[in-house]
Amino acid sequence: MDQNRPILSRVATSAPDASTAIDRSITDFPVATPIDEDNYFRFHKPPPYLSQISNDVASFINYNHQKQRKVVLVTSGGTTVPLENNTVRFIDNFSAGTRGATSAEYFLEHGYSVIFLHREFSLLPYSRHFSHTTNCLLDHLKFSNNGNNVEVDDDLQKDLVSVLKKYQQVKNENRLLLVPFTTVHQYLFTLKLIAQELSVIGSDALFYLAAAVSDFFLPSSRIPEHKIQSHDHGGKLVVDLEPVPKFLRRLVDSWAPIAMIVSFKLETDSSILIKKATTALERYNHQLVIGNLLQTRKTEVVFVTPNDNEWIKLSEKDIENQLEIESLIIPKIVTLHKEWIKSRDDLVK
Ligand code: 9Z3
């Protein structure tokens, strides 16, 4: 592989894996017992493309570590829970991928290399500026040379030049690796794989878990192969889901025990946000939970650490100037990560 070329994973995750459809030889998921995190990985098959991703991730980490860059894993977008193996229906978790894609850009600006584990087809760093939801590129193009060439409108030149410069530099320096997922199953297996590979660089690794991860899943032993028919169960659809294993515990205590870990907590009820974030921090014993409310997530978040709750808010003026809250979040995390690395170094002295 040419080390100076960016590595972009080219696996597809959105199509169901119909060839390996249903394997009834896999033991039924132990529903009656409390679900142990390890059971999940024991009772389910990894996605078939995982070894391909594994090589990309290992070379990316190795290359960037040699260049003495810190590596952050940013997770982004919502995970799905398919209700059928040949998937027509699925349950989804809310997220456009804005938090993840925006944060990734600010980490890159701070010199980090980024593994971007994202929901396939959700927002990506840099291209997000011209996506259909915000600013459709096609609306800013015009023909030239008798309709044989295309030019960008004057009003977009400045923005496009600035974003393209950053994007090309990141690509040329091989500092961004895109790894997709669609289902919560693919997310969990890929997260575990990347965490284990990142453990090689110890405290230089940072986890920034912004993906909206489903709390429920349907064990593969119970997923029907084909589209559920409306007459199957007397016209009703009764969905019986299991709780997703508490993967953060494994991340903190065995997959990447020396890395710094930041997770997000999403709520819609402001009266329980701090409590839920504090409980997550105590339960998993990691470094930082960032709480946010669905309704206000773009203008305020709260940093919850063992000793402190600190709100970070955009002012009226910031909002007018279209400042992104991630431009305030990321520098703070970069500082916390520096302190974390120092504290780990002091431990071994
Ligand atoms: C978040 O809280 C993200 O900030 C958002 C971003 C999903 C709200 P958008 O992509 O939204 O900018 O539209 N992510 C974490 C959500 C989550 O599922 N957290 C789990 C939990 O709350 C823990 S990993 O239990």
Side-chain angles (χ1 to χ4, degrees):
M1 185 187 61
D2 177 355
Q3 287 288 26
N4 290 321
R5 301 240 349 247
I7 321 162
L8 302 177
S9 276
R10 284 179 191 83
V11 295
T13 60
S14 59
D17 182 19
S19 61
T20 55
I22 296 295
D23 183 354
R24 298 291 179 207
S25 66
I26 296 178
T27 331
D28 198 14
F29 202 79
V31 284
T33 56
I35 292 169
D36 162 36
E37 304 81 55
D38 297 328
N39 266 350
Y40 185 90
F41 296 97
R42 216 165 337 123
F43 286 95
H44 290 90
K45 275 191 188 165
Y49 56 77
L50 211 61
S51 59
Q52 198 183 328
I53 285 182
S54 168
N55 293 339
D56 285 356
V57 172
S59 342
F60 182 82
I61 295 170
N62 195 12
Y63 177 77
N64 280 287
H65 192 49
Q66 275 171 17
K67 298 267 177 197
Q68 305 193 325
R69 297 171 185 148
K70 293 172 199 149
V71 182
V72 57
L73 172 69
V74 175
T75 71
S76 181
T79 58
T80 71
V81 176
L83 298 184
E84 298 131 344
N85 200 65
N86 288 282
T87 313
V88 176
R89 282 68 157 253
F90 55 87
I91 296 174
D92 207 347
N93 254 62
F94 165 85
S95 171
T98 318
R99 175 82 77 222
T102 311
S103 302
E105 283 181 27
Y106 288 104
F107 277 120
L108 287 160
E109 258 172 47
H110 280 83
Y112 277 73
S113 295
V114 175
I115 301 176
F116 191 65
L117 178 59
H118 65 285
R119 166 76 173 273
E120 199 172 349
F121 309 126
S122 67
L123 292 179
L124 294 177
Y126 305 112
S127 74
R128 75 180 172 101
H129 297 276
F130 310 105
S131 86
H132 58 283
T133 48
T134 50
N135 209 358
C136 175
L137 190 58
L138 287 180
D139 289 333
H140 297 275
L141 299 179
K142 59 187 176 206
F143 287 111
S144 62
N145 187 21
N146 290 329
N148 289 314
N149 288 0
V150 171
E151 271 177 23
V152 181
D153 281 348
D154 292 344
D155 62 349
L156 205 70
Q157 290 285 354
K158 214 169 125 227
D159 287 353
L160 195 57
V161 166
S162 147
V163 172
L164 189 62
K165 266 191 194 149
K166 291 183 199 164
Y167 175 62
Q168 290 198 341
Q169 186 182 355
V170 159
K171 264 176 62 166
N172 290 338
E173 292 174 355
N174 189 16
R175 290 203 288 128
L176 176 62
L177 178 68
L178 304 179
V179 182
F181 65 80
T182 297
T183 66
V184 67
H185 177 75
Q186 294 167 335
Y187 173 82
L188 290 175
F189 269 92
T190 316
L191 177 73
K192 180 181 180 199
L193 172 99
I194 297 174
Q196 288 173 331
E197 295 194 353
L198 271 176
S199 67
V200 175
I201 64 167
S203 60
D204 276 347
L206 172 64
F207 288 76
Y208 182 86
L209 306 173
V213 184
S214 176
D215 282 332
F216 310 102
F217 80 107
L218 189 56
S220 56
S221 57
R222 300 214 302 261
I223 300 184
E225 180 171 359
H226 290 295
K227 185 181 163 213
I228 300 166
Q229 297 300 313
S230 53
H231 53 74
D232 278 357
H233 306 282
K236 284 190 178 174
L237 176 61
V238 179
V239 184
D240 180 16
L241 301 174
E242 298 295 326
V244 162
K246 301 293 178 204
F247 65 91
L248 254 177
R249 185 172 306 158
R250 281 289 169 273
L251 188 60
V252 175
D253 66 23
S254 50
W255 301 341
I258 313 171
M260 175 166 164
I261 297 172
V262 179
S263 73
F264 277 81
K265 173 57 77 183
L266 173 64
E267 292 299 339
T268 56
D269 177 352
S270 62
S271 69
I272 61 170
L273 179 64
I274 302 264
K275 177 91 199 75
K276 295 293 290 265
T278 309
T279 308
L281 195 68
E282 285 166 0
R283 179 177 291 160
Y284 305 118
N285 198 23
H286 58 307
Q287 287 68 53
L288 170 66
V289 176
I290 303 180
N292 57 176
L293 292 167
L294 184 71
Q295 304 88 326
T296 54
R297 68 193 190 285
K298 296 201 175 170
T299 53
E300 58 182 52
V301 300
V302 55
F303 273 38
V304 177
T305 50
N307 309 318
D308 200 19
N309 305 327
E310 186 194 352
W311 283 94
I312 295 168
K313 297 186 186 192
L314 291 181
S315 65
E316 297 275 316
K317 192 137 193 59
D318 291 340
I319 297 171
E320 232 171 75
N321 292 335
Q322 300 189 323
L323 204 79
E324 295 171 315
I325 193 160
E326 290 77 8
S327 71
L328 306 181
I329 297 175
I330 305 311
K332 280 183 174 293
I333 294 183
V334 168
T335 305
L336 290 172
H337 189 204
K338 269 191 204 136
E339 289 168 10
W340 171 255
I341 294 171
K342 186 164 178 319
S343 73
R344 303 307 299 190
D345 288 352
D346 289 348
L347 268 186
V348 288
K349 271 182 199 157

